[in-house]
Amino acid sequence: MPCGFFAYVGCYTTVERQARGRGINVYHVNDTLTEWKHLQNISTPDNPSFLSLDQSGGYLCAVHGDSNHISSYAIDRQNGLLQHRSGVECGGRNPVHLVFDTTNRFIAIPNYADGTLTSVSFDEANGMLGAVTSSATLLGERGPHRIEQHCSHPHGVTFDPAERFLYVPDKGLDRIFVFRFHEGHFRFVDSIPTREGAGPRHIVFHPTKPCAYVINELDCTVTCYRHDSETGKLTPQQVVQALPENYTGNGRGAEIALSPDAKSVLVSLRGADLLSVLSIDNNTGTLFLTQSIGSGGKTPRFFTIVVPTSTLLIAHEASDTIGRVAFTTQGLDVTGIQHCVNVASPSSIVLKLASAQPA
């Protein structure tokens, strides 16, 4: 029987990022996420800033922010430790996200600095990364923000629930690009404009309703779209502010996820250092803000929901901590965020069920 989880924490490492991290840290975590035992710090190229398991769960891949690199690591089934398998150039600059296709043979990667979407091959038999198989340049008129929208800046890549289409929110162009992705090659389908200055960052899809939700980084809003699963088209239905009404400071939208029961959208907000809950109307799929609480640290760049426990794990990039908070049908636990572990400049957390208790 599984005994807790293995947790993999990526981080920023470079002086240019004002970062303090070192490689990827591996932990064993108990079932309640309250006890974290450090198992490994594996040396990697700079800024292993976003991590993902492959479809088999046997390998971990990392994109390396501010570079042109992606790497893969084999996971020991018994002790969770990582062993480096391969590293290749990803075909673009500053890769920020990644997703494996359904065949587990290709990885799609948005490259923030040069406005491209690229793919590399992946061999599930040995975890080896291969050559770049396809590249698409994202084109359009840049947004109005003078500093953060001077060119295309794709920040996420996500399949719809039927895995027919690939969606790429572009913060720099205020657009969401839609592609078909087959045998490692992209085919352009659509380019959907967002509100000017919104800065779309990440997208999630409702599992049963024809709805998609986008966290907009620059104006801290969430847009609800009607999603046509046959054509891939997104039609905007609503824009909702994710900051509380009485908040008057600056903020940046960061991460977005659906609650385990798919009745709420959860987002993190950097600068404001908040977590917000937006409830989903059961009839229309539209949103209304129901809760905002302090995230428990500085710069909640990323969070993940551990479904078996209905717990959020939050990576606070600027305060070097990972926190946790329970989520129930009433929302986030108002008693606040509980401290898990100190780790330098965390930017991504991946959990995998452990098959045995480490020695």
Side-chain angles (χ1 to χ4, degrees):
M1 293 292 292
C3 184
F5 305 89
F6 295 122
Y8 303 93
V9 180
C11 61
Y12 282 103
T13 63
T14 59
V15 173
E16 291 78 10
R17 287 275 179 172
Q18 300 180 324
R20 299 154 297 282
R22 292 174 54 247
I24 298 172
N25 284 284
V26 183
Y27 299 85
H28 180 265
V29 188
N30 67 348
D31 291 326
T32 58
L33 307 175
T34 56
E35 298 176 5
W36 290 59
K37 179 183 178 182
H38 190 260
L39 302 179
Q40 181 187 27
N41 174 259
I42 186 169
S43 180
T44 71
D46 286 342
N47 299 327
S49 52
F50 185 80
L51 311 178
S52 180
L53 295 173
D54 79 311
Q55 300 282 10
S56 75
Y59 298 97
L60 183 79
C61 283
V63 292
H64 296 275
D66 299 332
S67 71
N68 62 348
H69 198 75
I70 178 173
S71 57
S72 66
Y73 305 84
I75 301 173
D76 188 292
R77 291 187 177 184
Q78 294 302 310
N79 59 32
L81 300 183
L82 298 177
Q83 182 179 29
H84 180 258
R85 298 298 296 151
S86 66
V88 298
E89 293 188 0
C90 65
R93 291 187 296 113
N94 193 9
V96 289
H97 210 232
L98 69 96
V99 67
F100 287 82
D101 79 334
T102 55
T103 71
N104 211 29
R105 295 171 49 228
F106 301 97
I107 303 169
I109 305 160
N111 300 292
Y112 183 90
D114 61 7
T116 60
L117 179 67
T118 57
S119 65
V120 299
S121 62
F122 176 75
D123 189 338
E124 183 181 348
N126 56 25
M128 299 294 289
L129 298 162
V132 173
T133 61
S134 185
S135 179
T137 299
L138 307 182
L139 302 174
E141 185 177 347
R142 64 187 184 183
H145 196 292
R146 291 180 299 171
I147 298 173
E148 300 200 44
Q149 293 186 307
H150 59 86
C151 63
S152 168
H153 287 316
H155 209 292
V157 58
T158 306
F159 281 104
D160 68 315
E163 298 187 331
R164 293 176 178 171
F165 300 96
L166 194 66
Y167 293 80
V168 183
D170 192 313
K171 167 185 158 183
L173 303 183
D174 285 328
R175 289 184 173 272
I176 301 170
F177 290 86
V178 188
F179 293 88
R180 293 276 194 179
F181 186 48
H182 180 67
E183 292 295 315
H185 292 275
F186 304 111
R187 180 169 66 82
F188 175 81
V189 174
D190 203 356
S191 171
I192 298 155
T194 70
R195 190 161 68 177
E196 286 187 357
R201 180 179 173 94
H202 290 163
I203 184 171
V204 294
F205 291 85
H206 197 282
T208 58
K209 299 180 187 298
C211 295
Y213 305 99
V214 173
I215 178 72
N216 298 306
E217 178 176 335
L218 298 181
D219 66 3
C220 291
T221 62
V222 178
T223 305
C224 170
Y225 292 89
R226 183 168 183 82
H227 174 232
D228 188 322
S229 61
E230 296 299 320
T231 66
K233 186 174 181 58
L234 297 175
T235 303
Q237 303 293 301
Q238 177 198 33
V239 179
V240 183
Q241 180 57 246
L243 290 167
E245 185 177 354
N246 62 353
Y247 180 78
T248 59
N250 294 317
R252 287 288 187 271
E255 191 55 276
I256 184 169
L258 280 169
S259 63
D261 61 8
K263 293 183 179 180
S264 301
V265 169
L266 295 92
V267 300
S268 64
L269 301 154
R270 296 172 294 175
D273 296 334
L274 294 171
L275 300 173
S276 289
V277 180
L278 299 98
S279 296
I280 299 173
D281 185 283
N282 190 51
N283 295 318
T284 65
T286 54
L287 303 171
F288 52 99
L289 179 65
T290 55
Q291 186 184 25
S292 289
I293 69 169
S295 69
K298 295 181 180 179
T299 315
R301 182 181 185 88
F302 177 87
F303 69 86
T304 187
I305 301 177
V306 187
V307 175
T309 63
S310 290
T311 301
L312 274 70
L313 293 176
I314 311 110
H316 292 108
E317 181 185 352
S319 57
D320 300 336
T321 58
I322 293 175
R324 71 179 188 278
V325 63
F327 184 85
T328 69
T329 54
Q330 284 73 48
L332 296 166
D333 187 346
V334 295
T335 61
I337 311 299
Q338 305 301 310
H339 177 72
C340 291
V341 68
N342 294 324
V343 57
S345 306
S347 59
S348 181
I349 309 166
V350 168
L351 264 69
K352 175 181 169 63
L353 280 172
S355 58
Q357 174 73 42

